[in-house]
Amino acid sequence: MSEIQLKPIWRWQWTLIAGIFLLIVCAVAITIGPVQIKTIEIIHTLLGRETTLSDQERSLLIEIRFPRVALAALVGAALATSGAVYQTVFRNPLADPYLLGAAAGAGLGATIAITVARADFYPSLPIFAFIGGILAVIATFLVAGRLYSDPGSLLLSGIAIGSFATAVQTFLQQRNSEVLRPVYSWILGELTVAEWSSVRWAALYIFIALGILFSVSKILDALMLSDEEAFSLGVSPNRIRIIAVCAATLATATAVSVSGLIGFVGIVVPHIVKRLTKKATNRALLAIALFGAAFLVLADLGARTLITPAEIPIGVITAFIGAPFFLFILRTRSKNL
Amino acid sequence: MIKVENLSVSYGNKTVLDSISLEIPTGTWTSIIGPNGAGKTTLLTSLLGMNPYSGSIKFGEIEAFRDLKRNIAYVPQRPQVPLGMTVREYVTLGRAKRDGWGRERREGKARVYETLEAMQLIGLQDQQVTRISGGELQRVLIARAIVQEPQIILMDEPTSALDLHHQIATLNQIELLKKEGITVLSTMHDITLGAMYAERIILMREGIVLLDGNSSSVIHSEELKSAFDHGISVHTLEDGHTVIVANKMRIEEI
C-alpha cells in the first residue's frame, strides 16, 4: 500500500495553531488593563507559586481578569461553533445564531424568565433562553419552508422572527420597569461583571453542547448532501439535524444568557477558518471553537481598552468587524470558499 | 434478487405508487421509464427505505429496508454538492457505511484510490467538488457508489445532465459494473438509451407498472405509446437499433 500517496482528510495542524493562538491571546488579555501585570506573574499565579503581586493585584487577577477572559473565551467558542453548525445543517453560508433568530429568541426566553417567572439570574436562565432560542429557530425554519437552504429566504425569515422576538422582549421590559435595569444591562453584555460562578455554570452548559456537536461533527458531512444521499449512506438526516440544532441552540442560549447579545461571531469566525483550512466547516469545528474563543477575548480586550477608562459594549466591537465582513460574504458567497 | 410485492406509497391523499409488484434478478440492468409523475424516483427512494410504504420489499429472503440499504448505493439525479470538499473526500463519503464517518481505514483508502484511478479521476482528486464539470461530477458520483461495494446500484437519471459523448461514457461505465455482478436499477428519460443498455424495462405511469419485460418487447409495445399518449414514435434503423423520438405534431395536439 506504500504506493498510495493520499493526504489524510482530517488534519489537526490548524486546531493546534488555533489552540496556541488562543493561549497567547488569553495571556495578552489578562496582562493588559488599567493595572499592568507581567505574564510571568500570571503563570506563577496559575501554578500556585509565590508572586510579587500585592493582594489587590492578586485579587484583580483572580476575581476579575481570569473570569472575564474565561467567560469571553467560552462565549466566543459557543457562538462560533454554533454558527458553523447552523451553516452546515441549513446548508446555508449565512446561517448564524443571530440571523436565524436564535439569539433573539433566547433573549426573549431569558427576559420572560426574569420578568414573568422572576427566575434567579443564574443557573435556570439558560434553560429559559434555550426554550426561547429553539422555538425561534423552529419558527424561522417553518417560515422559510422548503426554501430553508436558500440564503435569502432563511435570512429574511430569521430577521422577521428575530424582530418579533425583540419586539416582545422590549414590550415585556416596558411593562416590568422594576426589572428594566437588570434586563437592559444584561442585553448590553455582562462580560463586565463576569464572576467565577457564572463562568462555572456557563462552562457546564457550553461544554455539554459543544461535546455533543464535536461528537456528531463528522456525521454532519451527511447533512451537506441531499437527504436521499444521506439516507443512502446510512444516516437519518432529520435525526442528526435535530440533535445538531438543539445542541447549537443550547450553546447560543447559554452564551446569550451570560453575555447578552453579541452578534456576528458565528459568521465571521467559521468563514475565516474555512478560508484558512480550505475545509468544510464541520471538518474544522474544534479549530473554529478555539479561534472563536480567541476572537471574543480579543474583542473584549478592545472593548475595555480602546477608550479607557470607559468601555465600549463588546457587541459594538464585533459588529464593527462583523458587519463589513458579512457584506463581503454576501458579495462573494457564489465563489464558494 | 429484489422482490417487491404490493408496494404502495402515498403522500397525504395522493397515491404515488399503487400496489407495485416486480422482481429484479441479480446482476441485471433494469431501466424504469415513464412520463413525468409516473413514480419512478419514488420507486427508487422506496427501495432506499426513505418513504413509509405498505407491502413488502425483499432482498433475498430478508424483509426490511435496513438490510437492503446496507447493500444499496444511490446515484442521485440532482446531488447536493457540498462546499469545502475535494473530489477524494466526496468519494470517501461512500465508505462511511463500512468504515464509519470521518474514518479512513486502510482498506477503504485503497478502494477509493483504485476507484479514482479506474474512473480517471486521480488528476482531479484534490479539486474542490464544486469546481468540476457536470460530466466529471457524474463520474465522481458513480465512483462514490462503487466504493460502497454495493450489490445494487440505484441511479436516478444518470445521464440527464450530460452531453451525448458523456452519456455514452457513463453508460459504458455502468455496464462494466453490471458485468461485475452488480444489479443496476436506473430511471431514464431517454428511452432509446435505456433500451440500448438495460436488458429489462419497467414501464410506469401514474404510480402503476404498465409493462415489465425485456427491452425489445417493451419498446415495441402499444403500452409504451399509450403511456406517452401516443406522443412518441418508434423507428428501427438499418443496423437493427431502435430509436424512440417525440412526435411533435402529436404532442402539440395533446
Side-chain angles (χ1 to χ4, degrees):
Chain A
M1 207 152 309
S2 58
E3 78 278 7
I4 297 179
Q5 302 277 317
L6 297 176
K7 293 174 211 151
I9 284 175
W10 302 91
R11 278 177 284 180
W12 293 96
Q13 62 263 47
W14 278 106
T15 308
L16 190 67
I17 292 168
I20 295 167
F21 182 62
L22 174 61
L23 282 178
I24 294 168
V25 165
C26 285
V28 170
I30 293 167
T31 314
I32 295 174
V35 179
Q36 297 278 339
I37 299 171
K38 286 180 185 157
T39 312
I40 191 74
E41 302 287 2
I42 295 167
I43 295 168
H44 281 165
T45 309
L46 277 173
L47 295 174
R49 289 186 191 154
E50 280 290 307
T51 62
T52 56
L53 296 175
S54 66
D55 283 351
Q56 201 181 4
E57 285 171 332
R58 199 178 146 73
S59 161
L60 169 83
L61 195 60
I62 293 174
E63 300 302 328
I64 295 175
R65 296 259 177 99
F66 278 160
R68 181 160 180 165
V69 168
L71 201 61
L74 279 169
V75 168
L79 293 176
T81 312
S82 49
V85 170
Y86 286 133
Q87 283 147 35
T88 305
V89 168
F90 293 108
R91 299 182 191 128
N92 191 324
L94 300 181
D96 161 273
Y98 287 82
L99 299 174
L100 280 176
L108 175 59
T111 305
I112 290 172
I114 298 165
T115 56
V116 180
R118 310 278 161 172
D120 283 343
F121 260 83
Y122 299 121
S124 62
L125 211 53
I127 305 291
F128 286 92
F130 171 68
I131 294 167
I134 202 84
L135 289 175
V137 173
I138 292 168
T140 298
F141 186 79
L142 290 177
V143 171
R146 302 178 83 188
L147 296 172
Y148 70 84
S149 59
D150 168 52
S153 301
L154 194 75
L155 201 67
L156 289 175
S157 56
I159 290 167
I161 297 296
S163 303
F164 181 75
T166 308
V168 177
Q169 187 182 345
T170 309
F171 176 76
L172 283 174
Q173 284 167 29
Q174 297 300 329
R175 300 281 298 165
N176 296 273
S177 53
E178 69 280 13
V179 288
L180 189 64
R181 188 184 289 272
V183 172
Y184 191 67
S185 76
W186 163 77
I187 287 169
L188 279 179
E190 272 217 309
L191 292 177
T192 46
V193 290
E195 296 166 357
W196 278 118
S197 64
S198 53
V199 172
R200 267 193 290 272
W201 64 256
L204 173 73
Y205 289 112
I206 287 174
F207 282 141
I208 289 172
L210 296 193
I212 294 168
L213 292 177
F214 292 141
S215 69
V216 298
S217 67
K218 291 180 178 179
I219 307 179
L220 291 181
D221 270 354
L223 296 188
M224 292 196 287
L225 309 174
S226 67
D227 282 5
E228 289 86 352
E229 292 171 274
F231 215 87
S232 76
L233 293 174
V235 170
S236 172
N238 281 339
R239 194 180 303 162
I240 302 295
R241 208 169 269 141
I242 289 167
I243 293 171
V245 167
C246 283
T249 307
L250 177 62
T252 300
T254 310
V256 169
S257 321
V258 80
S259 66
L261 303 174
I262 301 171
F264 294 106
V265 183
I267 204 154
V268 171
V269 177
H271 280 276
I272 288 176
V273 174
K274 197 158 80 172
R275 276 160 201 268
L276 287 174
T277 61
K278 301 268 188 293
K279 292 281 158 203
T281 40
N282 66 308
R283 295 180 167 215
L285 219 50
L286 190 52
I288 287 170
L290 294 168
F291 273 122
F295 176 80
L296 211 65
V297 171
L298 273 180
D300 184 48
L301 181 63
R304 63 188 165 87
T305 56
L306 283 178
I307 52 162
T308 45
E311 278 206 19
I312 306 170
I314 188 168
V316 173
I317 301 275
T318 59
F320 267 135
I321 302 166
F325 189 84
F326 178 76
L327 294 173
F328 172 71
I329 300 289
L330 259 180
R331 300 270 306 176
T332 59
R333 68 191 156 90
S334 57
K335 294 179 185 167
N336 307 326
L337 279 171
Chain B
M1 177 183 291
I2 305 172
K3 197 171 178 185
V4 176
E5 281 179 335
N6 295 323
L7 174 68
S8 294
V9 175
S10 301
Y11 298 139
N13 291 329
K14 194 175 179 224
T15 302
V16 188
L17 295 180
D18 192 1
S19 276
I20 284 184
S21 295
L22 39 97
E23 288 182 4
I24 298 160
T26 304
T28 57
W29 183 342
T30 303
S31 194
I32 309 168
I33 62 170
N36 287 338
K40 305 184 294 285
T41 300
T42 306
L43 177 58
L44 285 194
T45 52
S46 298
L47 292 177
L48 273 178
M50 273 203 70
N51 315 313
Y53 61 80
S54 64
S56 119
I57 302 172
K58 280 186 178 173
F59 177 53
E61 289 307 309
I62 304 163
E63 177 67 58
F65 53 81
R66 285 182 195 286
D67 290 299
L68 199 59
K69 192 165 68 180
R70 200 182 308 153
N71 296 303
I72 288 185
Y74 177 66
V75 177
Q77 181 181 5
R78 291 188 197 88
Q80 177 83 33
V81 182
L83 297 177
M85 221 183 259
T86 64
V87 165
R88 185 173 73 83
E89 290 166 352
Y90 192 59
V91 172
T92 301
L93 294 182
R95 293 299 300 177
K97 267 189 287 190
R98 290 183 181 272
D99 298 348
W101 285 92
R103 284 192 179 182
E104 284 197 289
R105 292 185 197 278
R106 202 180 159 85
E107 194 195 327
K109 243 178 167 174
R111 185 75 187 169
V112 168
Y113 187 82
E114 285 162 20
T115 310
L116 288 173
E117 225 172 23
M119 299 295 289
Q120 297 167 351
L121 291 168
I122 282 290
L124 291 177
Q125 62 166 317
D126 291 326
Q127 284 266 352
Q128 291 291 315
V129 74
T130 44
R131 305 235 167 138
I132 60 177
S133 71
E136 288 162 347
L137 179 62
Q138 197 65 43
R139 288 206 322 266
V140 168
L141 288 169
I142 294 173
R144 194 181 68 186
I146 293 171
V147 299
Q148 296 175 42
E149 299 176 43
Q151 287 167 289
I152 302 158
I153 293 188
L154 306 180
M155 299 191 170
D156 197 2
E157 299 292 346
T159 56
S160 61
L162 304 179
D163 61 38
L164 266 177
H165 170 76
H166 284 103
Q167 285 183 5
I168 299 299
T170 301
L171 292 170
N172 286 344
Q173 200 69 48
I174 300 169
E175 195 161 50
L176 288 178
L177 300 178
K178 191 195 80 176
K179 284 178 181 160
E180 287 174 19
I182 296 174
T183 307
V184 179
L185 190 60
S186 63
T187 63
M188 301 275 273
H189 268 306
D190 190 326
I191 307 168
T192 306
L193 280 177
M196 199 184 291
Y197 281 88
E199 56 255 62
R200 287 180 73 240
I201 287 184
I202 294 169
L203 173 64
M204 293 181 70
R205 182 175 173 154
E206 292 171 358
I208 58 170
V209 172
L210 291 180
L211 206 57
D212 175 7
N214 70 54
S215 300
S216 171
S217 66
V218 174
I219 58 172
H220 289 104
S221 66
E222 271 308 306
E223 284 90 339
L224 179 70
K225 287 178 190 160
S226 72
F228 288 91
D229 293 324
H230 298 275
I232 58 168
S233 53
V234 181
H235 305 275
T236 304
L237 304 178
E238 284 175 5
D239 63 1
H241 279 103
T242 306
V243 179
I244 292 129
V245 290
N247 185 344
K248 183 170 180 277
M249 297 301 287
R250 175 70 189 128
I251 287 174
E252 279 171 0
E253 282 171 33
I254 296 167

